[in-house]
Amino acid sequence: EVHLVESGGGSVQAGGSLRLSCAASGVAVSSRCMGWFRQAPGKPREGVAAIRYNGGDTYYPDSVKGRFTISRDNMKNTISLQMDSLKPEDTAMYYCARYYDVTCISLYRTNAVDNWGQGTQVTVSS
């Protein structure tokens, strides 16, 4: 059985940084495209980062490009999301995701995700 467990959320002031981690069990993080989504109250879930199965390519929407960095540690079987220069609009529940595909061809589509973590809250105050 696949489990994804996020950690590292919290509260930070605007301009600060947080690092989220997602520990996987029952599956290798290197076997599929992996990513992070977020969902703010009253808004749809949106993708904020993804990394190909081989870790060679990463993807970000314009809203976070240059501020967020996704990475993978195959030895620890984890993925991480380094978030810098945080803004109040980054406030949301953040979810780790394992896609069905390996190359991230279905980037940011929630129906392309096979497994979800339980989420970790990130709150950015102004």
Side-chain angles (χ1 to χ4, degrees):
E1 188 175 0
V2 177
H3 288 286
L4 304 174
V5 180
E6 301 96 335
S7 61
S11 298
V12 65
Q13 289 191 326
S17 299
L18 283 173
R19 185 177 181 86
L20 307 183
S21 292
C22 171
S25 59
V27 67
V29 295
S30 59
S31 64
R32 300 263 191 95
C33 173
M34 298 290 295
W36 290 92
F37 286 72
R38 67 185 180 188
Q39 187 167 22
K43 294 188 176 181
R45 192 168 294 191
E46 62 172 351
V48 295
I51 186 167
R52 280 172 59 112
Y53 75 104
N54 61 1
D57 292 305
T58 57
Y59 307 92
Y60 309 93
D62 288 343
S63 58
V64 307
K65 194 172 294 183
R67 300 188 298 118
F68 288 13
T69 304
I70 189 172
S71 59
R72 184 204 308 268
D73 186 328
N74 291 339
M75 292 294 290
K76 295 181 179 179
N77 208 31
T78 60
I79 64 167
S80 297
L81 184 68
Q82 177 67 40
M83 305 185 295
D84 299 316
S85 302
L86 283 162
K87 305 175 181 180
E89 52 263 43
D90 294 319
T91 295
M93 186 72 79
Y94 283 71
Y95 298 90
C96 177
R98 177 174 175 259
Y99 285 78
Y100 284 108
D101 73 275
V102 298
T103 60
C104 303
I105 192 170
S106 302
L107 197 60
Y108 308 146
R109 285 172 43 193
T110 56
N111 62 1
V113 173
D114 190 7
N115 305 104
W116 295 97
Q118 83 288 351
T120 187
Q121 178 68 37
V122 171
T123 302
V124 184
S125 58
S126 57

